[in-house]
Amino acid sequence: MHTPVLLQQAIEGLRLNSQGFYIDATVGEGGHVSEMLKKQTRILAIDADSEQVKRLKNRFGHDKNLILEVGNFSEIEHIAKKQGFFPVDGVLFDLGLSMRQLKEGHRGFSYKELDDPLDMRIDANTLLTAEEILSQKSEKELSEIFSKNAEEIFSERIAHAIATARRKKGITTVGELVSIVQSAHKGINRSTVARIFQALRIEVNDEITNLKKGLQGALSIIKKPGGRIVVISFHSLEDRVVKLFARQHHMNMSTMKPKTKGAKAGFERSATLRIISC
Ligand SMILES: C[S@@+](CC[C@H](N)C(=O)[O-])C[C@H]1O[C@@H](n2cnc3c(N)ncnc32)[C@H](O)[C@@H]1O
């Protein structure tokens, strides 16, 4: 079960009213949407992962206020207009992956699930898997992926280790990639491995391009003035896109971070909530 990060703050940021139309662009396991439904608003909920949407249809299928759609939020304008959600009062983006995708997805998202295949596609129709990227991209291209998507200082060494290893045998599992990354330099620790997995996932799913398109699409369907775009991001690359978007369009933006204590806080620590007033 996914524990939504910054749940109440995101809901308050959307300023839900019972006459309004809202979009949850990343419905995931339904944590945010079930809270939104309590306010009796009309909601269009989207996710690129058809398995997530299928599960939610079983859970919420009866709710007349909720429409569930499989789709990429890069297409949000098209999906919203098709469903009559135009103009909308608020759009929520809770970026990244849900706990179920990470722990039970068996798609290689987590560097801890050593036997999983290196797939990493959120949407099963995405062109290239992580395994295919690792086998098809040149050493230089791999190094660029790691430095661009993860600002990883060992990018060149890791790309070289991958290029050397794949000459002997294809890299097909999480465990194989983890060992190769760790072998690239003695200074490499678990956080380097986590960053390399994140960089590959961003590449496989074209996450930065999709986020830019998603924000632009949200802006084209949101009520002006007064609509809200709320974004929860988990790394600086995404957050930078959100900040730049608000600045370029001269929109007010407020920011919140979770109040977390000690090591227990886990991945929540890296979350940033941005509320953009349109
Ligand atoms: C952090 S989870 C959302 C969790 C959700 N807020 C909840 O409370 O359960 C992020 C979700 O976004 C979805 N996702 C990621 N990129 C997407 C995209 N480009 N378009 C649509 N959904 C996307 C993932 O499949 C995942 O289910």
Coordinates of all heavy atoms in Angstrom, one line a residue, residues 7-22 31-43 60 63-66 89:
L7 N 0.2 14.5 1.9 CA -1.1 14.3 1.4 C -2.0 15.5 1.7 O -2.6 16.1 0.8 CB -1.7 13.0 2.1 CG -3.2 12.7 1.9 CD1 -3.4 12.4 0.4 CD2 -3.6 11.5 2.7
Q8 N -2.1 15.9 3.0 CA -3.0 17.0 3.4 C -2.6 18.3 2.7 O -3.4 19.1 2.3 CB -3.1 17.1 4.9 CG -3.9 16.0 5.6 CD -5.2 15.8 4.9 OE1 -5.9 16.7 4.4 NE2 -5.6 14.5 4.8
Q9 N -1.3 18.5 2.7 CA -0.8 19.8 2.1 C -1.1 19.9 0.6 O -1.5 20.9 0.1 CB 0.8 19.9 2.3 CG 1.2 20.0 3.7 CD 1.5 18.6 4.4 OE1 0.9 17.6 4.0 NE2 2.4 18.6 5.3
A10 N -1.0 18.7 -0.1 CA -1.4 18.7 -1.5 C -2.9 19.0 -1.7 O -3.3 19.7 -2.6 CB -0.9 17.4 -2.2
I11 N -3.7 18.3 -0.9 CA -5.1 18.5 -1.0 C -5.5 20.0 -0.7 O -6.3 20.6 -1.4 CB -5.9 17.6 0.0 CG1 -5.5 16.1 -0.3 CG2 -7.4 17.8 0.0 CD1 -6.0 15.6 -1.6
E12 N -4.9 20.5 0.4 CA -5.2 22.0 0.7 C -4.7 22.9 -0.5 O -5.4 23.8 -0.8 CB -4.5 22.4 2.0 CG -5.3 21.9 3.2 CD -4.5 21.9 4.5 OE1 -3.5 22.7 4.6 OE2 -4.8 21.1 5.4
G13 N -3.6 22.5 -1.1 CA -3.0 23.3 -2.2 C -4.0 23.3 -3.4 O -4.0 24.3 -4.1
L14 N -4.7 22.2 -3.6 CA -5.7 22.2 -4.7 C -6.9 23.0 -4.4 O -7.7 23.3 -5.4 CB -6.1 20.8 -5.0 CG -5.0 19.9 -5.6 CD1 -5.5 18.4 -5.6 CD2 -4.8 20.2 -7.1
R15 N -7.1 23.4 -3.2 CA -8.3 24.2 -2.8 C -9.6 23.6 -3.4 O -10.3 24.3 -4.2 CB -8.2 25.7 -3.2 CG -7.3 26.5 -2.3 CD -7.6 27.9 -2.3 NE -7.6 28.4 -3.7 CZ -7.4 29.6 -4.1 NH1 -7.1 30.5 -3.2 NH2 -7.4 30.0 -5.3
L16 N -9.9 22.4 -3.0 CA -11.0 21.6 -3.6 C -12.4 22.3 -3.3 O -12.6 22.7 -2.1 CB -11.0 20.2 -3.1 CG -9.8 19.4 -3.4 CD1 -9.9 18.0 -2.7 CD2 -9.6 19.1 -4.9
N17 N -13.2 22.4 -4.3 CA -14.6 22.8 -3.9 C -15.6 21.9 -4.7 O -15.3 21.3 -5.7 CB -14.9 24.3 -4.3 CG -15.0 24.5 -5.8 OD1 -16.1 24.2 -6.4 ND2 -14.0 25.0 -6.4
S18 N -16.7 21.7 -4.1 CA -17.6 20.6 -4.5 C -18.2 20.8 -5.9 O -18.6 19.9 -6.6 CB -18.7 20.4 -3.5 OG -19.4 21.6 -3.4
Q19 N -18.1 22.1 -6.4 CA -18.5 22.3 -7.8 C -17.4 22.1 -8.8 O -17.6 22.2 -10.0 CB -19.0 23.8 -8.0 CG -20.0 24.2 -6.9 CD -21.3 23.4 -7.0 OE1 -21.8 23.2 -8.1 NE2 -21.7 22.9 -5.9
G20 N -16.2 21.9 -8.3 CA -15.0 21.9 -9.2 C -14.7 20.7 -10.0 O -15.3 19.6 -9.7
F21 N -13.8 20.8 -11.0 CA -13.3 19.7 -11.8 C -11.8 19.6 -11.5 O -11.1 20.6 -11.7 CB -13.6 19.9 -13.3 CG -15.0 19.7 -13.7 CD1 -16.0 20.5 -13.3 CD2 -15.3 18.6 -14.4 CE1 -17.3 20.3 -13.6 CE2 -16.7 18.3 -14.8 CZ -17.7 19.2 -14.4
Y22 N -11.3 18.4 -11.2 CA -9.9 18.3 -10.9 C -9.3 17.1 -11.6 O -10.0 16.1 -11.9 CB -9.7 18.1 -9.3 CG -10.2 19.3 -8.6 CD1 -11.6 19.5 -8.3 CD2 -9.3 20.3 -8.2 CE1 -12.0 20.6 -7.6 CE2 -9.8 21.5 -7.6 CZ -11.1 21.6 -7.3 OH -11.6 22.7 -6.7
G31 N -4.1 6.9 -3.2 CA -4.1 7.6 -1.9 C -4.6 9.0 -2.0 O -5.4 9.4 -1.2
H32 N -4.1 9.8 -2.9 CA -4.6 11.2 -3.0 C -6.0 11.2 -3.5 O -6.8 12.0 -3.0 CB -3.7 12.0 -4.0 CG -2.3 12.4 -3.4 ND1 -1.2 11.7 -3.6 CD2 -2.0 13.4 -2.5 CE1 -0.2 12.3 -2.9 NE2 -0.7 13.3 -2.3
V33 N -6.3 10.4 -4.5 CA -7.7 10.5 -5.0 C -8.7 10.1 -4.0 O -9.8 10.7 -4.0 CB -7.7 9.6 -6.3 CG1 -8.4 8.3 -6.2 CG2 -8.4 10.4 -7.4
S34 N -8.5 9.2 -3.1 CA -9.5 8.8 -2.2 C -9.7 9.9 -1.2 O -10.9 10.2 -0.8 CB -9.2 7.5 -1.4 OG -8.0 7.5 -0.9
E35 N -8.7 10.7 -0.9 CA -8.9 11.9 -0.1 C -9.7 13.0 -0.8 O -10.6 13.6 -0.3 CB -7.5 12.4 0.3 CG -7.4 13.1 1.6 CD -7.9 12.4 2.8 OE1 -7.8 11.1 2.9 OE2 -8.4 13.1 3.7
M36 N -9.4 13.1 -2.1 CA -10.1 14.2 -2.9 C -11.6 13.8 -3.1 O -12.4 14.7 -3.0 CB -9.4 14.2 -4.3 CG -8.0 14.9 -4.3 SD -7.1 14.5 -5.8 CE -7.7 15.6 -7.0
L37 N -11.9 12.5 -3.2 CA -13.3 12.1 -3.4 C -14.1 12.5 -2.2 O -15.3 12.7 -2.3 CB -13.4 10.6 -3.6 CG -13.0 10.2 -5.1 CD1 -12.8 8.7 -5.2 CD2 -14.0 10.7 -6.1
K38 N -13.5 12.6 -1.0 CA -14.3 12.9 0.2 C -14.9 14.3 0.1 O -15.9 14.6 0.8 CB -13.4 12.9 1.5 CG -12.9 11.5 1.9 CD -12.1 11.6 3.1 CE -11.5 10.2 3.4 NZ -10.3 10.3 4.3
K39 N -14.3 15.1 -0.8 CA -14.9 16.5 -0.9 C -16.0 16.6 -2.0 O -16.4 17.7 -2.4 CB -13.7 17.5 -1.3 CG -12.5 17.4 -0.5 CD -12.6 18.3 0.8 CE -11.3 18.1 1.6 NZ -11.3 18.8 2.8
Q40 N -16.4 15.4 -2.5 CA -17.5 15.4 -3.5 C -17.2 16.2 -4.8 O -18.1 16.8 -5.3 CB -18.8 16.0 -2.8 CG -19.2 15.2 -1.6 CD -19.8 13.8 -2.0 OE1 -20.5 13.7 -2.9 NE2 -19.3 12.8 -1.2
T41 N -15.9 16.2 -5.2 CA -15.6 16.9 -6.4 C -15.6 15.9 -7.6 O -15.6 14.7 -7.4 CB -14.2 17.5 -6.3 OG1 -13.3 16.4 -6.1 CG2 -14.1 18.5 -5.2
R42 N -15.6 16.5 -8.8 CA -15.5 15.6 -10.0 C -14.0 15.4 -10.3 O -13.2 16.4 -10.4 CB -16.1 16.3 -11.2 CG -17.6 16.6 -10.9 CD -18.5 15.4 -11.0 NE -18.4 14.8 -12.3 CZ -19.1 15.2 -13.4 NH1 -19.9 16.3 -13.2 NH2 -19.0 14.7 -14.5
I43 N -13.6 14.2 -10.5 CA -12.1 13.9 -10.7 C -11.9 13.0 -11.9 O -12.5 12.0 -12.1 CB -11.5 13.2 -9.4 CG1 -11.8 14.1 -8.2 CG2 -10.0 13.0 -9.6 CD1 -11.5 13.3 -6.9
F60 N -12.7 1.6 -7.0 CA -13.5 2.8 -7.1 C -14.6 2.7 -8.2 O -15.2 3.8 -8.4 CB -12.7 4.0 -7.3 CG -11.7 4.4 -6.2 CD1 -10.4 4.3 -6.4 CD2 -12.2 4.8 -5.0 CE1 -9.5 4.6 -5.4 CE2 -11.3 5.2 -4.0 CZ -9.9 5.1 -4.2
D63 N -17.9 4.7 -8.2 CA -18.0 6.2 -7.8 C -18.3 7.1 -9.0 O -17.5 7.2 -9.9 CB -16.7 6.6 -7.1 CG -16.9 7.8 -6.3 OD1 -17.5 8.8 -6.8 OD2 -16.4 7.9 -5.2
K64 N -19.4 7.7 -9.0 CA -19.9 8.5 -10.1 C -19.1 9.8 -10.3 O -19.1 10.4 -11.4 CB -21.4 8.8 -10.0 CG -21.8 9.7 -8.9 CD -23.2 10.0 -8.9 CE -23.7 10.9 -7.8 NZ -22.9 11.5 -6.8
N65 N -18.3 10.2 -9.3 CA -17.5 11.4 -9.4 C -16.1 11.1 -10.0 O -15.4 12.1 -10.1 CB -17.4 12.0 -8.0 CG -18.6 12.7 -7.6 OD1 -19.4 13.2 -8.4 ND2 -18.9 12.7 -6.3
L66 N -15.8 9.9 -10.2 CA -14.4 9.6 -10.7 C -14.4 8.9 -12.0 O -15.1 7.9 -12.3 CB -13.8 8.6 -9.6 CG -12.4 8.1 -9.9 CD1 -11.4 9.3 -9.9 CD2 -12.0 7.0 -8.9
D89 N -10.2 23.1 -12.4 CA -9.8 23.9 -11.2 C -8.5 23.6 -10.6 O -7.9 24.4 -10.0 CB -10.9 23.8 -10.1 CG -12.3 24.3 -10.6 OD1 -12.9 23.5 -11.3 OD2 -12.6 25.4 -10.4

